[in-house]
């Protein structure tokens, strides 16, 4: 379905969103004198550069929007085009120099024309690396396809050449810039209508798309969609995913300029230089709507009366020792008990009853588990009960050894024969051991698949950037998901390797490997209904991702982070890599916590949704993926408590819980309809 809108004299043809409470597009300001670019600062203020009369120096300005007014913020500029906000500064590409403006509007020349290696002709697009503060600016040359260049500007104002027409003869009239990860730069070329990617390490280029008309401006949204304005054709286009063709979002602009995300990330601000307007445009890919409407749910304490056996809340010196629950699961034996493991190494058990008052210690491994608040990715990390636990009493744990240097073990334990609520600490049988160079990135999730085999995730070895390239190295276990048979034993092992593991016959590869190219999965789980294995892979620089894992799949790390090339050896989308089904930017959250596909009965509105969260942001979402459409169709927020989301779990009925660390012991939550939660509060 399409609809047409008259907005400030601009005839827009837009695809109607599936569900949008606000208008798809509306003018938020009119009557501007040639607005060229929009930028949003960290404090949420919206700035617009206005050119004034072309080639008339001194009549350009930067304005700040206040509701429906545009207020002068910095004046006396020449022809300001690109804008970029970083920390307390606003940077402006103004013809032959770069201005820097502070929060109060005081402007100073940050980089004069004399600081450039070659004299700039017409500085145009501007973008900034939000991690390092490095600026990138395009020089459109003589505006007729000659003398174009792209420069790098350090935080101290030193300028170097990324590329120019001498090094890259195809460079015509570069305008829009956007970083693609931290090591690659996207360039929109107005003269050729092409989109290119530059590897910043060596200046090498790759053409990604053509036929884009007067390609002028680029902007990512927070979920991996790339938007581009066609200033010549009056359009806004979107690339829904890397490697896909662009789709028209809106048309009918006179000369759309340099767009950006609004503070919420759900809309785009599009300046129209000729019309003198700023239009707010819904960020979407027509034909592929994603429902982002909030679910009418919120979290409440699941076991408000629960006291933890043996936990005092502080050590012998009086230092608070928060409870750190990292696993909540069940034995699958019909007993309807809940098992919760803490990162310090204690497994608790209690009845699955909201009125439960006390746990019992099922197994205490604190004498074997290392945990330190300063290295809090180590400790007790994984627990899974054997599918036939009711008969054999076996369960499996994954933890970091107290005696050893960054060494993780996978062990089998058994319950005591005389007490179903107590395990035998002497029954430990070590199945697997792996040492790693650094303390972080341990993975640790254990889960049994529908095939009865045990799957477990290992991080890439730690530190940053995967310095040893473990993710892509099939000779190491690190950066992988492994699959083993715990019911049989091969020669020299306490487990067997399934004959259909994807790399069994690959000489030089570890036969236990089931999937690879992973940085640090923090929680994965099988969908009870479909058998699909969902995983959340924690990002490094900019992006968090969700994957659906398949046998033999390569998920790209450390050549990809989310949907983007990573590092100096980074690569674009290609058949060798399986792209995540979803990513989000670090503006949204900075450490994903994987959850579960909900198959319980308490909350029908969650049925079939993958519920996940973010440790740093404390946010929670319910994501839906369509197998038929091969894409995400919903990512709906659930009202959170603003606490770190450490882990998710489910009970025997498939009801879902999440955990956070707590000095009071109240660290387990589940969800209820908003009205019901309010009634209980009363």
């Amino acid at each position: 379905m399409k609809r047409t809108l008259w907005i400030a004299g601009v005839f827009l043809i837009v695809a109607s969103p599936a569900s949008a409470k606000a208008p798809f597009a509306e003018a938020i300001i009119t009557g501007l004198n040639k607005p060229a670019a929009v930028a949003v600062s960290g404090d949420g203020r919206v700035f617009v550069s206005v050119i004034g009369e072309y080639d008339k120096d001194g009549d350009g300005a930067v304005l700040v929007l206040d509701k429906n007014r545009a207020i002068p913020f910095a004046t006396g500029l020449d022809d300001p085009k690109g804008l970029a906000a970083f920390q307390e500064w606003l940077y402006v590409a103004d013809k032959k120099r770069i201005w820097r403006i502070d929060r109060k509007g005081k402007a100073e020349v940050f980089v004069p024309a004399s600081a450039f290696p070659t004299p700039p002709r017409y500085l145009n697009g501007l973008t900034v690396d939000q991690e390092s503060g490095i600026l990138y600016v395009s020089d459109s040359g003589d505006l007729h396809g000659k003398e174009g260049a792209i420069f790098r500007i350090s935080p101290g104002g030193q300028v170097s050449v990324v590329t120019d027409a001498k090094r890259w003869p195809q460079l015509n009239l570069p305008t829009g810039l956007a970083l693609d990860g931290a090591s690659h730069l996207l360039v929109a070329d107005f003269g050729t209508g092409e989109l290119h990617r530059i590897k910043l390490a060596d200046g090498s280029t790759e053409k990604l798309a053509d036929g884009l008309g007067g390609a002028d401006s680029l902007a990512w949204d927070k979920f991996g969609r790339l938007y581009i304005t066609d200033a010549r054709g009056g359009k806004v286009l979107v690339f829904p995913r890397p490697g896909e063709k662009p789709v028209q979002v809106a048309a009918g602009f006179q000369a759309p300029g340099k767009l950006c995300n609004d503070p919420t990330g759900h809309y785009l601000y599009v300046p129209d230089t000729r019309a003198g307007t700023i239009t707010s445009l819904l960020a979407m890919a027509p034909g592929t709507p994603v429902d982002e409407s909030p679910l009418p749910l919120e979290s409440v304490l699941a076991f408000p009366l629960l006291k933890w056996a043996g936990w005092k809340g502080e050590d012998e010196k009086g230092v608070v020792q928060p409870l750190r629950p990292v696993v909540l699961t069940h034995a699958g034996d019909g007993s309807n008990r809940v098992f919760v493991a803490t990162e310090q190494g204690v497994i608790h058990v209690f009845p699955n009853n909201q009125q439960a008052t006390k746990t019992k210690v099922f197994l205490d491994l604190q004498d074997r588990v290392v945990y330190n608040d300063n290295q809090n990715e180590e400790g007790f990390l994984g627990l899974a009960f054997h599918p036939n636990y009711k008969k054999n009493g076996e369960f499996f744990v994954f933890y970091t050894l107290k005696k050893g240097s960054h060494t993780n073990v996978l062990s089998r334990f058994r319950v005591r024969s005389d007490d179903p609520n107590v395990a035998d600490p002497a029954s430990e049988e070590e199945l697997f051991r792996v040492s790693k160079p650094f303390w972080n990135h341990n993975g640790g999730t254990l889960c049994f698949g529908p095939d009865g085999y045990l799957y477990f995730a290992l991080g890439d070895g730690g530190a940053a950037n995967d310095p040893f390239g473990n993710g892509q190295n099939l000779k190491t276990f690190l950066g992988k998901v492994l699959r083993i048979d715990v019911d049989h034993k091969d020669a020299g092992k306490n487990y067997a390797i399934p004959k259909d593991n994807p790399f069994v016959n690959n000489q030089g590869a570890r036969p236990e490997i089931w999937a690879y190219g992973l940085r640090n999965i923090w929680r994965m789980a099988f969908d009870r209904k479909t058998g699909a294995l969902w995983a959340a892979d924690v990002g490094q620089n900019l992006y968090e991702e969700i994957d659906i894992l398949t046998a033999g799949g390569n998920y790209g790390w450390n050549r990809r982070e989310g949907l983007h090339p990573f590092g100096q050896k980074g690569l674009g989308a290609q058949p060798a890599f399986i792209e995540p089904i979803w990513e989000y930017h670090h503006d949204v959250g900075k450490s994903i916590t994987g959850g579960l596909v909900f198959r319980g009965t308490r909350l029908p509105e969650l049925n079939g949704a993958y519920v996940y969260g973010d440790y740093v942001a404390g946010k929670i979402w319910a994501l839906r993926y369509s197998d038929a459409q091969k894409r995400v169709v919903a990512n709906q927020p659930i009202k959170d408590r603003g606490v770190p989301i450490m882990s998710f779990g489910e009970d025997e009925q498939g009801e879902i819980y999440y955990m956070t660390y707590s000095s009071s012991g109240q660290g387990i939550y589940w969800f209820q309809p908003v009205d019901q939660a309010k009634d209980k509060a009363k």
Side-chain angles (χ1 to χ4, degrees):
M1 176 182 175
K2 291 189 176 181
R3 60 189 175 117
T4 57
L5 298 175
W6 278 97
I7 297 177
V10 180
F11 186 59
L12 292 180
I13 303 174
V14 298
S16 295
S19 59
K21 294 181 179 179
F24 178 86
E26 62 178 343
I28 60 173
I29 197 79
T30 62
L32 301 180
N33 192 0
K34 298 183 181 61
V38 186
V40 176
S41 64
D43 58 9
R45 289 187 293 173
V46 181
F47 296 93
V48 181
S49 63
V50 291
I51 296 172
E53 297 305 315
Y54 288 113
D55 295 323
K56 180 181 178 182
D57 293 345
D59 67 337
V62 172
L63 313 176
V64 62
L65 301 190
D66 181 14
K67 298 181 180 178
N68 60 345
R69 298 184 303 154
I71 302 171
F73 188 69
T75 58
L77 282 62
D78 296 335
D79 287 348
K81 293 280 284 185
L83 290 179
F86 178 71
Q87 295 180 353
E88 71 270 26
W89 302 104
L90 184 68
Y91 295 91
V92 187
D94 185 19
K95 206 170 184 178
K96 296 183 180 182
R97 55 190 173 178
I98 304 294
W99 291 86
R100 183 170 65 180
I101 308 173
D102 69 13
R103 289 179 176 175
K104 295 182 179 180
K106 181 181 178 181
E108 62 180 358
V109 175
F110 178 57
V111 184
S114 59
F116 286 82
T118 57
R121 297 292 301 273
Y122 194 87
L123 299 180
N124 199 319
L126 188 66
T127 192
V128 62
D129 184 331
Q130 293 292 338
E131 299 292 317
S132 67
I134 294 174
L135 291 165
Y136 297 91
V137 60
S138 63
D139 183 350
S140 296
D142 66 355
L143 301 182
H144 297 289
K146 296 180 180 180
E147 302 180 34
I150 296 169
F151 298 102
R152 178 193 292 109
I153 304 172
S154 75
Q158 290 76 38
V159 185
S160 58
V161 178
V162 174
T163 193
D164 56 25
K166 293 179 181 178
R167 307 179 197 191
W168 181 15
Q170 291 77 22
L171 188 65
N172 188 280
L173 208 162
T175 50
L177 302 177
L179 283 161
D180 192 6
S183 303
H184 293 74
L185 185 69
L186 298 178
V187 182
D189 195 310
F190 182 90
T192 62
E194 295 176 346
L195 175 66
H196 292 263
R197 179 164 49 218
I198 301 177
K199 184 176 290 187
L200 293 170
D202 58 15
S204 59
T205 63
E206 172 189 9
K207 186 169 79 171
L208 302 181
D210 54 22
L212 300 174
D216 183 69
S217 153
L218 297 166
W220 294 100
D221 71 9
K222 299 182 187 303
F223 304 108
R225 296 171 294 214
L226 178 67
Y227 297 85
I228 184 167
T229 55
D230 172 5
R232 188 180 293 126
K235 303 173 185 176
V236 176
L237 309 172
V238 62
F239 293 86
R241 288 176 67 87
E244 294 185 0
K245 293 182 179 180
V247 179
Q248 181 175 299
V249 178
F253 292 100
Q254 293 184 38
K258 291 172 174 51
L259 75 172
C260 76
N261 285 286
D262 84 329
T264 72
H266 297 297
Y267 286 80
L268 301 165
Y269 288 145
V270 185
D272 192 326
T273 306
R274 290 180 189 164
T277 61
I278 306 294
T279 296
S280 175
L281 185 69
L282 185 66
M284 59 170 286
T288 60
V290 177
D291 184 358
E292 297 181 49
S293 60
L295 281 171
L297 299 173
E298 61 183 341
S299 53
V300 296
L301 288 171
F303 305 101
L305 306 178
L306 196 63
K307 304 297 181 183
W308 299 85
W311 178 70
K312 299 178 181 178
E314 59 183 36
D315 61 16
E316 61 276 3
K317 297 180 181 180
V319 178
V320 173
Q321 298 292 311
L323 191 76
R324 293 183 63 90
V326 290
V327 181
L328 184 152
T329 188
H330 60 94
D333 59 356
S335 65
N336 196 28
R337 292 174 295 170
V338 174
F339 294 81
V340 175
T342 68
E343 200 169 354
Q344 291 93 340
V346 181
I347 305 174
H348 296 259
V349 61
F350 56 92
N352 188 7
N353 185 327
Q354 279 196 282
Q355 303 307 310
T357 58
K358 190 173 182 180
T359 74
K360 185 170 185 177
V361 174
F362 182 68
L363 180 64
D364 188 340
L365 295 178
Q366 292 181 92
D367 61 335
R368 305 167 212 193
V369 173
V370 63
Y371 173 75
N372 186 320
D373 281 338
N374 295 325
Q375 297 182 345
N376 64 10
E377 291 184 28
E378 294 184 322
F380 188 105
L381 302 173
L383 167 66
F385 288 83
H386 194 287
N388 202 23
Y389 175 79
K390 189 172 183 178
K391 290 185 177 180
N392 63 27
E394 296 179 358
F395 62 97
F396 300 82
V397 304
F398 183 99
Y399 64 91
T400 310
L401 277 173
K402 182 172 286 188
K403 296 180 179 179
S405 177
H406 310 314
T407 299
N408 292 317
V409 298
L410 167 67
S411 292
R412 182 196 330 253
F413 283 86
R414 291 174 174 82
V415 69
R416 279 174 43 174
S417 58
D418 60 339
D419 190 340
N421 289 319
V422 180
D424 180 3
S427 67
E428 182 172 16
E429 177 189 8
E430 188 176 309
L431 275 65
F432 181 90
R433 174 183 291 227
V434 61
S435 295
K436 44 196 288 295
F438 307 102
W439 65 270
N440 56 337
H441 300 185
N442 295 277
T445 302
L446 305 181
C447 51
F448 280 93
D451 51 18
Y453 295 131
L454 180 64
Y455 294 69
F456 59 105
L458 296 177
D460 64 6
N465 304 315
D466 189 11
F468 301 109
N470 291 326
Q472 293 297 313
N473 183 3
L474 290 172
K475 295 180 180 180
T476 177
F477 292 122
L478 300 176
K480 313 294 189 302
V481 169
L482 308 184
R483 177 182 186 242
I484 62 174
D485 178 355
V486 298
D487 294 326
H488 302 88
K489 296 182 179 182
D490 289 339
K493 302 179 185 296
N494 283 336
Y495 60 87
I497 297 169
K499 304 301 182 187
D500 60 347
N501 268 11
F503 299 103
V504 164
N505 298 315
N506 187 330
Q507 189 173 2
R510 296 282 192 172
E512 292 91 342
I513 295 172
W514 193 75
Y516 68 111
L518 298 156
R519 181 175 181 268
N520 186 36
I521 288 178
W522 183 240
R523 297 321 184 205
M524 63 183 187
F526 284 95
D527 183 340
R528 287 185 175 202
K529 181 177 179 179
T530 68
L533 180 55
W534 289 70
D537 200 10
V538 179
Q540 179 175 303
N541 288 346
L542 293 170
Y543 304 99
E544 304 297 306
E545 71 178 73
I546 297 173
D547 301 291
I548 297 179
L549 304 182
T550 57
N554 180 356
Y555 292 85
W557 179 253
N558 67 350
R559 303 294 187 267
R560 304 278 285 164
E561 182 186 48
L563 297 166
H564 310 268
F566 180 86
Q568 295 184 5
K569 296 181 180 179
L571 298 170
Q574 54 190 270
F577 299 144
I578 298 175
E579 299 283 5
I581 64 165
W582 189 249
E583 75 164 21
Y584 62 86
H585 190 272
H586 277 185
D587 286 347
V588 176
K590 294 190 176 181
S591 183
I592 193 169
T593 298
L596 304 148
V597 176
F598 182 79
R599 298 296 180 186
T601 58
R602 286 183 59 249
L603 303 168
E605 54 268 72
L606 279 184
N607 185 42
Y610 177 71
V611 181
Y612 72 101
D614 189 274
Y615 177 81
V616 175
K619 296 178 181 178
I620 304 170
W621 298 269
L623 179 142
R624 295 182 186 275
Y625 181 79
S626 168
D627 287 314
Q629 299 179 58
K630 301 299 181 187
R631 67 176 187 86
V632 169
V633 296
N635 186 57
Q636 299 178 267
I638 297 174
K639 188 176 181 181
D640 57 69
R641 307 276 297 203
V643 297
I645 311 299
M646 291 189 66
S647 192
F648 288 84
E650 65 177 353
D651 62 23
E652 201 160 355
Q653 287 72 40
E655 307 300 341
I656 194 168
Y657 304 79
Y658 74 88
M659 291 154 278
T660 187
Y661 60 80
S662 169
S663 58
S664 67
Q666 299 290 350
I668 302 176
Y669 295 87
W670 65 351
F671 305 111
Q672 286 187 353
V674 172
D675 290 341
Q676 186 176 345
K678 287 181 178 178
D679 290 342
K680 285 203 168 188
K682 293 177 181 179

